[in-house]
Amino acid sequence: MLDASALQRLGIATASTALALAIGLVVVAAAGYDPATFLMDMFEGAFGDQNSIGRTLKFTTIFILVGVAVAIAFRAGVFNIGVQGQFVVGGFATVVSILRLAPLLPAGTVGGLALLVLGTAFGIVAGGLYAALPGVLKAYGGANEIITTIMLNFIAVGIVGYLVEGPLRGEGNRAPNTARIPEYVQLPAVAFDSPDFSLVGLAVALVVVAIVSVVMIRTRFGYDMVTSGHQEAAATFSGVDAGRTIVSTMAFSGMVAGVAGAVFAIMIQGYYSDPGGVATYGFDAIAVSLLAANNPLGVVPAALLFGGLDSAGTHIGINSDVPPQLIDGVVGLVVLFVATPELFRMAARRTGLGGERR
Amino acid sequence: MSVAGYVERNRLELGSAVAVVLLALVLAVALDLPLAAIVTVGFIERSLQAATPIALAAIGGLYAEKSGVFNIGLEGFMILGAANAAAFVWLLGGESPTQGDLWLAILGAVLVSLVYTLLFAVLLVRYQADQIVAGLAVWFIGLGFGPFSAVLLWGNRNSPGLVSMNDVTVPVLADLPLLGPVLFDTSPLVLATAVVAVLAWVVLYRTRYGYWVQAAGENPEALDTAGVSVTRVRYAAVIFSGAMAGLAGAVLLAHAGSFTGTGDTMVNGRGWIGIVAYLFGNYNPIGAAAAALLFGGLDMLQIQFQTAGIEVSNRLVNLFPYVAVVVVLTVWGSTRMPSAVGEPYESEE
């Protein structure tokens, strides 16, 4: 997919999504529901009114951040399947640090702002460190990062789940949740009057995209990263330390996942719950990044698509009988087709639609 | 591959395995853990049961990888296998399915697995899909459509209690001390898995077909020159691996007795552990089954800790297998993969 032209990529992404949706509709019909109503419900759930749009943008914000986290690693030829775990650890660290620091700082706007910044910083550090671990294991132990990052997801969910159930459960909480972060630590509502979405969160995500793009394109570090992904031998010859690049790539990727965790914890939850029940943004992120051909800028439209799908899924879960898990399956199909560009190239050649270039 | 040869080649692995067991023993004595209460016949039986699905998935996965295709979709195929088996049990037996229904459901789940692993194999072999990404996609598809079908059937991501596999007792042999209750008074699926592991070993290392599989992964050009279709060998191996993972999911269901579709579903990472099991077993089916037994045992420790009255949070004990996988991969990370893994092969004609 990386060797395709921009236009080809767009075509493959569109065709993959369309084909996956078409299969989804067939499944809907086979399960005895009306596919036309289902499509209408999906559109309404994603963009129907201000509420839906706010919800779509809320999911989009998280998808942009986790998608960029995945894209950084994939770009460098490292598979970070552990974004979910880094996202959980980052978000949890954010909540815990805000809860611990809150009594030390003045309440009110200034204190709130300080706590936002400090909490996010802790989230970034925690996410980065948790991602650096599989990086170190790969670089110096030869451990396959695909498997270790997946195992570390399970481990992160288990440990954070244990902590919110027992030692760090908020006082008097029946549910396994931490205490709530103070009222004054929240993102201001702009344009959307929603308790769990703020345009400021979306702006943070876009700023991160810009920073990551600049780092990848304009800095020595980014250049080394991408070269070692594409031409490992060449990178080694030009003096890049392969092991160190792997570790720093993973750490960078995990830091962005940490931002995602922080935004999720502050903007959406306001406390931390058992991560076994938290949506699997970190996995969908892989689909987001692939759809964007691992380009940080391309992640934004891809995240909007997935944000829309998830928002539609929420709407469908409430307003129709079709099980919303269908959306997860459709996401899987999108990934499957994105992994198979050859399928569409051949189809294009057969039908004579711009298949002349390979 | 003789036993002596295997020991010779895997000295480091075997040595470390012995070291781990010794370390565990020393720790147990140092911490004064009630060993007798932990290592019981029941524990060994439960460990064997827990190891069964992992071993089956691992054996399938290692065939695919030996043939040059990394089937990282084992976890997804296991979820679909478990969901399909549960659906078949329900459709055949309704509220009160019988043992016969369960056997038919396992068979049905494997047949359905054959169909979609055929499609998967076409995408991998013919259309040269990125093996890693396509395998992950299968996981997502399983995580989505597994619970989806459960909601369609039962209105809930979990099935009601269905039926679980009865133990079979082999007369006379079951009365043997220790081995009797463990091996001859147990789920027939455990015994079947042991047979499958041995058969898989024989086929891989002692038959012409097994040499083809190995050649397809090590030196596809040579196999092609010898007049054997690399593509066909790879198709067969990928389809076998998916069907085995489907069987593994069905077996998991048969032991559990109901389908769980919440969280990471009832499969809960066992497919991934299966991949590690065959890496740990150095692509040897019997080694993979032994590694699966290690992970199965770790998985069952929590029950032993409870009955022995050791106060550790369930959630933390549940993490043992995952932590073990990370440790195993780091210590044994440099297992040699077949040299042509991940590379699509195009015949010259």
Side-chain angles (χ1 to χ4, degrees), chain B residues 85 88-89 92 97-111 163-168 186-193 247 250-251 253-255:
Chain B
F88 277 125
V89 167
L92 288 168
T98 62
Q99 291 289 308
D101 294 335
L102 186 56
W103 283 103
L104 278 178
I106 294 175
L107 183 68
V110 172
L111 290 179
V163 60
S164 54
M165 185 61 72
N166 285 345
D167 286 0
V168 286
T186 183
S187 160
L189 299 167
V190 170
L191 295 177
T193 304
L247 174 65
V251 164
L253 178 97
H255 284 159

Side-chain angles (χ1 to χ4, degrees), chain A residues 115-167:
Chain A
L115 284 173
L116 278 178
V117 172
L118 284 172
T120 308
F122 272 99
I124 293 173
V125 171
L129 285 177
Y130 202 65
L133 177 64
V136 170
L137 297 181
K138 179 188 171 70
Y140 305 107
N144 180 321
E145 83 279 17
I146 299 170
I147 317 264
T148 49
T149 49
I150 289 170
M151 293 299 128
L152 287 169
N153 287 335
F154 288 111
I155 294 171
V157 170
I159 291 180
V160 172
Y162 161 74
L163 291 175
V164 297
E165 249 171 35

